[in-house]
mmCIF file of all heavy atoms in Angstrom:
data_model
loop_
_atom_site.group_PDB
_atom_site.id
_atom_site.type_symbol
_atom_site.label_atom_id
_atom_site.label_comp_id
_atom_site.label_asym_id
_atom_site.label_seq_id
_atom_site.Cartn_x
_atom_site.Cartn_y
_atom_site.Cartn_z
ATOM 1 N N GLY A 8 20.961 14.096 -10.494
ATOM 2 C CA GLY A 8 19.676 14.306 -9.811
ATOM 3 C C GLY A 8 19.050 15.613 -10.265
ATOM 4 O O GLY A 8 18.303 16.258 -9.525
ATOM 5 N N ALA A 10 16.752 16.354 -12.399
ATOM 6 C CA ALA A 10 15.302 16.468 -12.568
ATOM 7 C C ALA A 10 14.612 16.559 -11.206
ATOM 8 O O ALA A 10 13.405 16.787 -11.135
ATOM 9 C CB ALA A 10 14.771 15.257 -13.328
ATOM 10 N N GLY A 11 15.375 16.376 -10.144
ATOM 11 C CA GLY A 11 14.809 16.408 -8.799
ATOM 12 C C GLY A 11 14.614 17.833 -8.292
ATOM 13 O O GLY A 11 14.808 18.806 -9.034
ATOM 14 N N PHE A 12 14.282 17.920 -7.041
ATOM 15 C CA PHE A 12 13.887 19.206 -6.455
ATOM 16 C C PHE A 12 15.051 20.219 -6.440
ATOM 17 O O PHE A 12 15.014 21.246 -7.123
ATOM 18 C CB PHE A 12 13.357 18.930 -5.048
ATOM 19 C CG PHE A 12 13.087 20.140 -4.216
ATOM 20 C CD1 PHE A 12 12.400 21.222 -4.731
ATOM 21 C CD2 PHE A 12 13.513 20.182 -2.888
ATOM 22 C CE1 PHE A 12 12.147 22.346 -3.949
ATOM 23 C CE2 PHE A 12 13.261 21.286 -2.100
ATOM 24 C CZ PHE A 12 12.586 22.367 -2.633
ATOM 25 N N ILE A 13 16.102 19.918 -5.697
ATOM 26 C CA ILE A 13 17.213 20.884 -5.591
ATOM 27 C C ILE A 13 17.980 20.936 -6.913
ATOM 28 O O ILE A 13 18.371 22.006 -7.383
ATOM 29 C CB ILE A 13 18.162 20.518 -4.419
ATOM 30 C CG1 ILE A 13 17.398 20.483 -3.095
ATOM 31 C CG2 ILE A 13 19.313 21.527 -4.335
ATOM 32 C CD1 ILE A 13 18.234 20.061 -1.886
ATOM 33 N N GLY A 14 18.198 19.760 -7.529
ATOM 34 C CA GLY A 14 18.976 19.697 -8.764
ATOM 35 C C GLY A 14 18.368 20.555 -9.857
ATOM 36 O O GLY A 14 19.081 21.299 -10.548
ATOM 37 N N ASP A 33 19.893 12.415 -14.863
ATOM 38 C CA ASP A 33 18.868 11.840 -13.976
ATOM 39 C C ASP A 33 18.356 10.550 -14.609
ATOM 40 O O ASP A 33 18.502 10.362 -15.817
ATOM 41 C CB ASP A 33 17.697 12.829 -13.766
ATOM 42 C CG ASP A 33 17.029 12.632 -12.418
ATOM 43 O OD1 ASP A 33 16.432 11.555 -12.215
ATOM 44 O OD2 ASP A 33 17.109 13.528 -11.571
ATOM 45 N N ASN A 34 17.765 9.683 -13.803
ATOM 46 C CA ASN A 34 17.123 8.483 -14.368
ATOM 47 C C ASN A 34 15.615 8.510 -14.120
ATOM 48 O O ASN A 34 14.937 7.534 -14.394
ATOM 49 C CB ASN A 34 17.730 7.197 -13.782
ATOM 50 C CG ASN A 34 17.427 7.033 -12.306
ATOM 51 O OD1 ASN A 34 17.016 7.994 -11.650
ATOM 52 N ND2 ASN A 34 17.629 5.839 -11.778
ATOM 53 N N PHE A 35 15.123 9.620 -13.561
ATOM 54 C CA PHE A 35 13.696 9.832 -13.300
ATOM 55 C C PHE A 35 13.107 8.796 -12.348
ATOM 56 O O PHE A 35 11.931 8.468 -12.413
ATOM 57 C CB PHE A 35 12.897 9.900 -14.625
ATOM 58 C CG PHE A 35 13.517 10.859 -15.583
ATOM 59 C CD1 PHE A 35 14.105 10.418 -16.758
ATOM 60 C CD2 PHE A 35 13.568 12.207 -15.280
ATOM 61 C CE1 PHE A 35 14.718 11.301 -17.619
ATOM 62 C CE2 PHE A 35 14.183 13.109 -16.137
ATOM 63 C CZ PHE A 35 14.761 12.649 -17.314
ATOM 64 N N LEU A 36 13.943 8.301 -11.465
ATOM 65 C CA LEU A 36 13.462 7.406 -10.412
ATOM 66 C C LEU A 36 12.479 8.169 -9.526
ATOM 67 O O LEU A 36 11.484 7.636 -9.068
ATOM 68 C CB LEU A 36 14.664 6.926 -9.590
ATOM 69 C CG LEU A 36 14.425 5.932 -8.477
ATOM 70 C CD1 LEU A 36 13.887 4.620 -9.033
ATOM 71 C CD2 LEU A 36 15.713 5.665 -7.701
ATOM 72 N N ARG A 37 12.777 9.444 -9.298
ATOM 73 C CA ARG A 37 11.930 10.269 -8.444
ATOM 74 C C ARG A 37 11.642 11.623 -9.097
ATOM 75 O O ARG A 37 10.521 12.092 -9.080
ATOM 76 C CB ARG A 37 12.607 10.476 -7.096
ATOM 77 C CG ARG A 37 11.626 10.712 -5.979
ATOM 78 C CD ARG A 37 12.323 10.483 -4.679
ATOM 79 N NE ARG A 37 12.485 11.726 -3.952
ATOM 80 C CZ ARG A 37 11.594 12.196 -3.096
ATOM 81 N NH1 ARG A 37 10.488 11.545 -2.878
ATOM 82 N NH2 ARG A 37 11.825 13.311 -2.449
ATOM 83 N N GLY A 38 12.662 12.235 -9.666
ATOM 84 C CA GLY A 38 12.464 13.513 -10.348
ATOM 85 C C GLY A 38 11.642 13.287 -11.600
ATOM 86 O O GLY A 38 11.633 12.196 -12.169
ATOM 87 N N ILE A 58 20.667 8.736 -17.453
ATOM 88 C CA ILE A 58 21.609 7.670 -17.065
ATOM 89 C C ILE A 58 21.232 7.190 -15.664
ATOM 90 O O ILE A 58 21.042 8.008 -14.750
ATOM 91 C CB ILE A 58 23.074 8.192 -17.028
ATOM 92 C CG1 ILE A 58 23.505 8.702 -18.414
ATOM 93 C CG2 ILE A 58 24.035 7.097 -16.543
ATOM 94 C CD1 ILE A 58 24.912 9.306 -18.446
ATOM 95 N N ASP A 59 21.127 5.884 -15.494
ATOM 96 C CA ASP A 59 20.959 5.321 -14.149
ATOM 97 C C ASP A 59 22.358 5.168 -13.559
ATOM 98 O O ASP A 59 23.126 4.292 -13.980
ATOM 99 C CB ASP A 59 20.240 3.975 -14.224
ATOM 100 C CG ASP A 59 20.091 3.342 -12.844
ATOM 101 O OD1 ASP A 59 20.590 3.935 -11.856
ATOM 102 O OD2 ASP A 59 19.485 2.254 -12.750
ATOM 103 N N LEU A 60 22.677 6.024 -12.610
ATOM 104 C CA LEU A 60 24.028 6.043 -12.037
ATOM 105 C C LEU A 60 24.315 4.831 -11.156
ATOM 106 O O LEU A 60 25.434 4.651 -10.687
ATOM 107 C CB LEU A 60 24.246 7.334 -11.251
ATOM 108 C CG LEU A 60 24.275 8.608 -12.108
ATOM 109 C CD1 LEU A 60 24.145 9.848 -11.241
ATOM 110 C CD2 LEU A 60 25.555 8.680 -12.930
ATOM 111 N N SER A 61 23.294 4.003 -10.910
ATOM 112 C CA SER A 61 23.500 2.761 -10.148
ATOM 113 C C SER A 61 23.683 1.566 -11.066
ATOM 114 O O SER A 61 23.966 0.466 -10.586
ATOM 115 C CB SER A 61 22.294 2.476 -9.245
ATOM 116 O OG SER A 61 22.096 3.513 -8.353
ATOM 117 N N LEU A 80 23.856 15.337 -6.656
ATOM 118 C CA LEU A 80 22.624 15.408 -5.870
ATOM 119 C C LEU A 80 21.758 14.155 -6.007
ATOM 120 O O LEU A 80 20.760 14.024 -5.298
ATOM 121 C CB LEU A 80 21.804 16.636 -6.314
ATOM 122 C CG LEU A 80 22.503 17.979 -6.111
ATOM 123 C CD1 LEU A 80 21.952 19.040 -7.039
ATOM 124 C CD2 LEU A 80 22.377 18.451 -4.678
ATOM 125 N N ALA A 81 22.122 13.249 -6.925
ATOM 126 C CA ALA A 81 21.274 12.060 -7.126
ATOM 127 C C ALA A 81 21.264 11.183 -5.885
ATOM 128 O O ALA A 81 22.306 10.873 -5.315
ATOM 129 C CB ALA A 81 21.771 11.259 -8.330
ATOM 130 N N ALA A 82 20.080 10.800 -5.463
ATOM 131 C CA ALA A 82 19.888 9.897 -4.321
ATOM 132 C C ALA A 82 18.411 9.542 -4.292
ATOM 133 O O ALA A 82 17.603 10.193 -4.958
ATOM 134 C CB ALA A 82 20.275 10.585 -3.005
ATOM 135 N N ASN A 84 15.493 9.707 -1.942
ATOM 136 C CA ASN A 84 15.065 10.375 -0.716
ATOM 137 C C ASN A 84 13.586 10.056 -0.452
ATOM 138 O O ASN A 84 12.978 9.324 -1.208
ATOM 139 C CB ASN A 84 15.283 11.882 -0.960
ATOM 140 C CG ASN A 84 15.317 12.704 0.300
ATOM 141 O OD1 ASN A 84 14.968 12.230 1.374
ATOM 142 N ND2 ASN A 84 15.734 13.937 0.171
ATOM 143 N N HIS A 99 20.491 3.415 -4.511
ATOM 144 C CA HIS A 99 20.519 4.632 -5.324
ATOM 145 C C HIS A 99 21.116 5.834 -4.584
ATOM 146 O O HIS A 99 21.311 6.886 -5.187
ATOM 147 C CB HIS A 99 19.116 4.958 -5.851
ATOM 148 C CG HIS A 99 18.633 3.926 -6.822
ATOM 149 N ND1 HIS A 99 19.188 3.763 -8.075
ATOM 150 C CD2 HIS A 99 17.686 2.963 -6.705
ATOM 151 C CE1 HIS A 99 18.592 2.762 -8.697
ATOM 152 N NE2 HIS A 99 17.677 2.260 -7.883
ATOM 153 N N PRO A 103 25.604 5.568 -7.032
ATOM 154 C CA PRO A 103 25.914 6.705 -7.899
ATOM 155 C C PRO A 103 27.174 7.469 -7.475
ATOM 156 O O PRO A 103 27.919 7.957 -8.332
ATOM 157 C CB PRO A 103 24.672 7.594 -7.786
ATOM 158 C CG PRO A 103 23.566 6.628 -7.549
ATOM 159 C CD PRO A 103 24.176 5.607 -6.616
ATOM 160 N N ALA A 124 25.921 16.226 -1.964
ATOM 161 C CA ALA A 124 24.746 16.613 -1.166
ATOM 162 C C ALA A 124 24.602 15.678 0.027
ATOM 163 O O ALA A 124 24.058 14.579 -0.097
ATOM 164 C CB ALA A 124 23.495 16.567 -2.033
ATOM 165 N N GLY A 125 25.108 16.101 1.162
ATOM 166 C CA GLY A 125 24.940 15.346 2.404
ATOM 167 C C GLY A 125 23.642 15.750 3.085
ATOM 168 O O GLY A 125 22.877 16.575 2.571
ATOM 169 N N SER A 126 23.409 15.170 4.249
ATOM 170 C CA SER A 126 22.134 15.427 4.923
ATOM 171 C C SER A 126 22.290 15.393 6.432
ATOM 172 O O SER A 126 23.130 14.646 6.965
ATOM 173 C CB SER A 126 21.121 14.359 4.499
ATOM 174 O OG SER A 126 19.984 14.411 5.320
ATOM 175 N N TYR A 161 18.458 5.567 4.617
ATOM 176 C CA TYR A 161 18.868 6.814 3.953
ATOM 177 C C TYR A 161 20.016 7.486 4.719
ATOM 178 O O TYR A 161 21.022 7.890 4.129
ATOM 179 C CB TYR A 161 17.657 7.742 3.868
ATOM 180 C CG TYR A 161 17.933 9.119 3.318
ATOM 181 C CD1 TYR A 161 18.264 9.305 1.975
ATOM 182 C CD2 TYR A 161 17.840 10.243 4.136
ATOM 183 C CE1 TYR A 161 18.497 10.580 1.465
ATOM 184 C CE2 TYR A 161 18.069 11.514 3.634
ATOM 185 C CZ TYR A 161 18.393 11.681 2.304
ATOM 186 O OH TYR A 161 18.622 12.940 1.807
ATOM 187 N N LYS A 165 23.830 8.456 3.362
ATOM 188 C CA LYS A 165 24.343 9.838 3.322
ATOM 189 C C LYS A 165 25.640 9.951 4.136
ATOM 190 O O LYS A 165 26.539 10.702 3.777
ATOM 191 C CB LYS A 165 23.273 10.801 3.851
ATOM 192 C CG LYS A 165 22.074 10.933 2.936
ATOM 193 C CD LYS A 165 22.321 11.912 1.813
ATOM 194 C CE LYS A 165 22.357 11.336 0.457
ATOM 195 N NZ LYS A 165 22.642 12.312 -0.604
ATOM 196 N N TYR A 188 22.586 19.518 3.699
ATOM 197 C CA TYR A 188 21.309 20.240 3.590
ATOM 198 C C TYR A 188 20.399 19.873 4.763
ATOM 199 O O TYR A 188 20.369 18.720 5.207
ATOM 200 C CB TYR A 188 20.599 19.880 2.289
ATOM 201 C CG TYR A 188 21.292 20.395 1.044
ATOM 202 C CD1 TYR A 188 21.969 19.533 0.183
ATOM 203 C CD2 TYR A 188 21.269 21.751 0.723
ATOM 204 C CE1 TYR A 188 22.594 20.003 -0.958
ATOM 205 C CE2 TYR A 188 21.898 22.226 -0.414
ATOM 206 C CZ TYR A 188 22.557 21.351 -1.250
ATOM 207 O OH TYR A 188 23.186 21.822 -2.377
ATOM 208 N N ASN A 190 16.416 20.205 5.541
ATOM 209 C CA ASN A 190 15.011 20.491 5.229
ATOM 210 C C ASN A 190 14.802 21.669 4.283
ATOM 211 O O ASN A 190 14.297 22.725 4.682
ATOM 212 C CB ASN A 190 14.201 20.697 6.513
ATOM 213 C CG ASN A 190 14.056 19.385 7.259
ATOM 214 O OD1 ASN A 190 14.871 19.062 8.122
ATOM 215 N ND2 ASN A 190 13.063 18.606 6.893
ATOM 216 N N VAL A 191 15.184 21.443 3.056
ATOM 217 C CA VAL A 191 14.925 22.435 2.007
ATOM 218 C C VAL A 191 13.488 22.218 1.526
ATOM 219 O O VAL A 191 13.028 21.076 1.434
ATOM 220 C CB VAL A 191 15.920 22.238 0.841
ATOM 221 C CG1 VAL A 191 15.694 23.297 -0.233
ATOM 222 C CG2 VAL A 191 17.362 22.288 1.364
HETATM 223 N N1 NAD B 401 15.546 18.274 -0.026
HETATM 224 C C1 NAD B 401 16.144 18.309 1.162
HETATM 225 O O1 NAD B 401 15.659 18.932 2.105
HETATM 226 C C2 NAD B 401 17.444 17.585 1.386
HETATM 227 C C3 NAD B 401 17.954 17.533 2.700
HETATM 228 C C4 NAD B 401 19.147 16.859 2.917
HETATM 229 C C5 NAD B 401 19.837 16.299 1.851
HETATM 230 N N2 NAD B 401 19.309 16.352 0.582
HETATM 231 C C6 NAD B 401 20.062 15.709 -0.496
HETATM 232 O O2 NAD B 401 20.093 16.577 -1.618
HETATM 233 C C7 NAD B 401 20.000 15.821 -2.818
HETATM 234 C C8 NAD B 401 18.835 16.319 -3.643
HETATM 235 O O3 NAD B 401 17.648 16.192 -2.880
HETATM 236 P P1 NAD B 401 16.231 16.475 -3.506
HETATM 237 O O4 NAD B 401 15.339 16.884 -2.418
HETATM 238 O O5 NAD B 401 16.382 17.342 -4.689
HETATM 239 O O6 NAD B 401 15.808 14.994 -3.942
HETATM 240 P P2 NAD B 401 14.969 14.513 -5.218
HETATM 241 O O7 NAD B 401 14.472 13.148 -4.917
HETATM 242 O O8 NAD B 401 13.975 15.538 -5.620
HETATM 243 O O9 NAD B 401 16.098 14.442 -6.352
HETATM 244 C C9 NAD B 401 17.009 13.390 -6.458
HETATM 245 C C10 NAD B 401 17.087 13.001 -7.918
HETATM 246 O O10 NAD B 401 18.035 11.940 -8.069
HETATM 247 C C11 NAD B 401 17.550 11.093 -9.078
HETATM 248 N N3 NAD B 401 18.170 9.773 -8.942
HETATM 249 C C12 NAD B 401 17.975 8.874 -7.944
HETATM 250 N N4 NAD B 401 18.677 7.766 -8.177
HETATM 251 C C13 NAD B 401 19.336 7.972 -9.332
HETATM 252 C C14 NAD B 401 20.198 7.156 -10.115
HETATM 253 N N5 NAD B 401 20.517 5.931 -9.728
HETATM 254 N N6 NAD B 401 20.694 7.678 -11.272
HETATM 255 C C15 NAD B 401 20.373 8.926 -11.675
HETATM 256 N N7 NAD B 401 19.536 9.727 -10.980
HETATM 257 C C16 NAD B 401 19.021 9.238 -9.834
HETATM 258 C C17 NAD B 401 16.042 11.051 -8.859
HETATM 259 O O11 NAD B 401 15.326 10.628 -10.012
HETATM 260 C C18 NAD B 401 15.759 12.492 -8.485
HETATM 261 O O12 NAD B 401 15.378 13.259 -9.610
HETATM 262 C C19 NAD B 401 19.876 14.354 -2.404
HETATM 263 O O13 NAD B 401 21.152 13.753 -2.473
HETATM 264 C C20 NAD B 401 19.416 14.420 -0.972
HETATM 265 O O14 NAD B 401 19.860 13.310 -0.251
HETATM 266 C C21 NAD B 401 18.134 16.990 0.332
#
Side-chain angles (χ1 to χ4, degrees):
F12 172 46
I13 302 177
D33 209 295
N34 67 345
F35 310 112
L36 183 63
R37 207 163 111 90
I58 299 177
D59 178 358
L60 293 166
S61 300
L80 299 156
N84 198 348
H99 294 291
S126 168
Y161 175 69
K165 291 278 114 182
Y188 291 108
N190 290 92
V191 182

